[in-house]
Amino acid sequence: MAGPGRLEGQALLAHPLACAVVEVVNERGYERAGVEFFLERAAISRAEFESEFDGKADATLRVMEAFIGDFKSQVKAAYESAPRWPDSLRAAAYEAARWLEQNPKTTQFGMVATTEAGDMARARREEIFRWCASLIDAGRAVAPDPDAIAPMASIVAIGAVAETLRRQQEGTVSADTFEIVPQMMYGAVRPYLGEVAARRELEIPPPPDLRAGER
Amino acid sequence: MGGTCTCLPRRHRYGLYPYFVGALPDHFKSTPLGREQVSREVLTEHQREAVLVRVTAVFAKRGYQATTVDDLLAAGKVGVGNFYALFAGKEDCFLAAYDRIVDRAREHVSLVLAACEEWTERFYLGLRTVIEVMLAEPLEARLALLEAQSAGPVALARYNGLMDAAIEWLRGGREHCPPAKGLPGGFEQAAISGLAFYLQQCLLDSRRDEPGELFAEAAGLVLEPIVGAPQLRRLRELPAAQAL
């Protein structure tokens, strides 16, 4: 937990250390990414680092949390911009794809480089996936037969996204993030609204980028 | 006591025992102690297998990154010299444990599918067997599905290879099942990846899902788009003995 006066959220993302942690962990792997590399890359003193963080694990986790917070706030805004599911889910999916495309280093950091960073990092990753799964499972409210939907449906759908992103980051699967959105929407919508509605998702073009002017 | 056994017909007697005891295969017959030595290779293989069984629990419970060679020595009940005679190090030990788990699961699936030729039945029964094996051995499943992803590039490549093989197997359904035509190109990748992720979540949460229910849900999500609802209903009506 962050102590008084400690960096978090957007303030942490604006600090050179956030960028340094992401780059060093991506380049060296978590195990070989020592604090001295963070200091050198961010051009800050050890005293400054220690006034903000308890060590490598704390810095890595808090940078990860800050990026997750940024991702969630943008995806949530997109989700809420459309009144009805699955339009809301589609808007969120494309916003997530935009965020991932615009933050490739952070995506690599969150999906691959921090897999060696222990249970806390794993828990943060699981947490964001569960949150995304809740956006998918909101489809129950509009499903013709909610009781017939497999309880695992939303986890399987978000798991497909998570695993595809992981393989994409590793370079073992070549997939354009934007191009896979309709396919992922097919998988997310099918258990809730059926085959016809799911196939429609393959033809629907991306919604407009509501934040285009801000980017 | 004494005398010969009279509860079996005479042709079933061999001295005091039924004849089939006397007809045991040679390798089951006792041999005088000290006359024949077990080969060093057999002993080494036996010890390696015993160590792998024990260290699987350590890797699964502590996680690959947190596991030390000292942990493996203690759990494996093996000295430093013997450990390094059996394995090149922690990663090599992990890879051997991973391969052992995957090979055993493959053998199990092969046995179940031996008498089955139709693609839909083979995939249905294969998926069911994999889920049953995983839920029956959660520590082994945890090592193979979770820890393999953080145990270095070789383990990760083997894990990815396993996923790719499952994806290709499911993709084979397009040749056999008309409903699969028109599915998005990445359906199989998404379906297998999503199911693997779900199983990982079960293991992380130490959830004890009932295998039959979990399998029924998984088959609906993964297989129904390929084979269609009527075919899946037919598969679900396969006799339990055949399904198991």
Side-chain angles (χ1 to χ4, degrees):
Chain A
M1 198 160 66
R6 291 194 158 191
L7 285 170
E8 58 187 349
Q10 290 299 325
L12 175 53
L13 295 183
H15 194 279
L17 192 82
C19 187
V21 168
V22 169
E23 286 180 0
V24 170
V25 172
N26 282 353
E27 290 164 15
R28 302 186 64 84
Y30 179 76
E31 284 296 305
R32 293 193 302 278
V35 169
E36 66 274 19
F37 296 105
F38 295 162
L39 305 181
E40 186 186 341
R41 187 67 60 95
I44 61 170
S45 68
R46 184 169 283 274
E48 190 180 348
F49 177 85
E50 288 175 351
S51 72
E52 298 291 348
F53 302 101
D54 290 334
K56 177 173 96 169
D58 181 44
T60 305
L61 270 181
R62 280 169 54 197
V63 167
M64 199 173 172
E65 280 168 0
F67 278 114
I68 286 174
D70 185 56
F71 173 85
K72 270 177 84 168
S73 71
Q74 293 192 28
V75 172
K76 186 167 180 274
Y79 183 82
E80 289 170 350
S81 70
R84 191 174 162 80
W85 200 94
D87 299 335
S88 52
L89 183 65
R90 196 181 315 109
Y94 276 105
E95 183 59 30
R98 284 188 197 103
W99 194 95
L100 296 172
E101 285 224 325
Q102 286 160 6
N103 297 279
K105 287 180 183 175
T106 315
T107 307
Q108 186 191 347
F109 173 77
M111 294 296 302
V112 180
T114 49
T115 52
E116 294 176 352
D119 288 345
M120 295 296 280
R122 181 184 274 173
R124 297 293 185 280
R125 248 191 322 277
E126 304 307 332
E127 194 181 299
I128 187 71
F129 287 130
R130 280 166 206 251
W131 178 75
C132 292
S134 73
L135 304 184
I136 296 172
D137 211 39
R140 282 181 192 276
V142 295
D145 185 4
D147 294 337
I149 301 163
M152 68 161 71
S154 62
I155 303 288
V156 169
I158 199 62
V161 178
E163 285 290 292
T164 303
L165 286 173
R166 180 184 68 78
R167 299 288 299 264
Q168 190 188 28
Q169 289 299 314
E170 287 168 12
T172 50
V173 160
S174 57
D176 178 86
T177 310
F178 260 80
E179 284 175 8
I180 64 172
V181 172
Q183 299 203 16
M184 295 300 160
M185 283 299 295
Y186 170 89
V189 168
R190 191 181 188 281
Y192 297 88
L193 300 181
E195 182 70 23
V196 174
R199 292 211 180 204
R200 208 178 299 135
E201 290 296 330
L202 299 171
E203 311 296 332
I204 299 174
D209 180 359
L210 298 174
R211 301 180 64 250
E214 299 170 35
R215 295 183 204 275
Chain B
M1 304 293 283
T4 55
C5 173
T6 55
C7 59
L8 288 168
R10 187 164 184 77
R11 64 191 169 82
H12 280 172
R13 289 179 217 151
Y14 183 85
L16 288 173
Y17 305 100
Y19 86 97
F20 43 78
V21 174
L24 279 174
D26 286 346
H27 62 274
F28 280 145
K29 286 181 180 169
S30 62
T31 51
L33 284 173
R35 295 276 175 86
E36 271 187 39
Q37 285 196 334
V38 180
S39 74
R40 181 176 291 274
E41 288 76 19
V42 171
L43 277 175
T44 304
E45 193 48 46
H46 180 77
Q47 187 183 21
R48 185 180 157 90
E49 174 74 10
V51 172
L52 289 176
V53 170
R54 294 186 197 118
V55 300
T56 292
V58 180
F59 279 129
K61 287 177 183 170
R62 293 184 65 88
Y64 177 80
Q65 294 296 333
T67 299
T68 64
V69 170
D70 282 346
D71 296 330
L72 299 176
L73 300 179
K77 296 177 183 168
V78 65
V80 179
N82 269 348
F83 178 83
Y84 282 104
L86 293 169
F87 310 105
K90 176 174 117 172
E91 185 183 6
D92 188 43
C93 180
F94 180 88
L95 292 171
Y98 175 87
D99 288 345
R100 176 184 163 275
I101 292 165
V102 171
D103 288 346
R104 277 160 45 93
R106 277 201 177 115
E107 280 169 22
H108 207 93
V109 171
S110 298
L111 275 175
V112 171
L113 301 188
C116 191
E117 288 185 3
E118 190 194 345
W119 183 90
T120 49
E121 288 186 12
R122 285 180 67 82
F123 194 90
Y124 183 84
L125 295 176
L127 179 62
R128 180 173 182 144
T129 307
V130 168
I131 287 175
E132 285 174 349
V133 166
M134 280 188 46
L135 295 183
E137 300 287 353
L139 292 179
E140 294 193 353
R142 199 176 165 110
L143 186 150
L145 275 184
L146 281 168
E147 296 309 321
Q149 293 189 57
S150 58
V154 179
L156 184 60
R158 289 186 194 179
Y159 171 82
N160 286 342
L162 200 61
M163 290 295 118
D164 289 343
I167 290 164
E168 279 311 306
W169 191 17
L170 183 59
R171 195 166 282 143
R174 292 194 185 233
E175 290 172 26
H176 304 277
C177 309
K181 289 188 174 61
L183 280 176
F187 171 78
E188 292 86 354
Q189 157 100 33
I192 295 294
S193 301
L195 181 59
F197 184 86
Y198 180 81
L199 294 172
Q200 290 162 8
Q201 301 304 304
C202 290
L203 295 167
L204 278 171
D205 297 346
S206 300
R207 276 214 312 272
R208 287 279 185 173
D209 288 24
E210 201 280 309
E213 280 177 24
L214 198 157
F215 170 69
E217 284 186 35
L221 292 169
V222 172
L223 207 48
E224 194 194 278
I226 302 260
V227 303
Q231 179 75 296
L232 185 59
R233 274 197 295 277
R234 181 187 73 81
L235 291 168
R236 284 184 167 146
E237 284 164 11
L238 284 174
Q242 193 178 346
L244 287 166

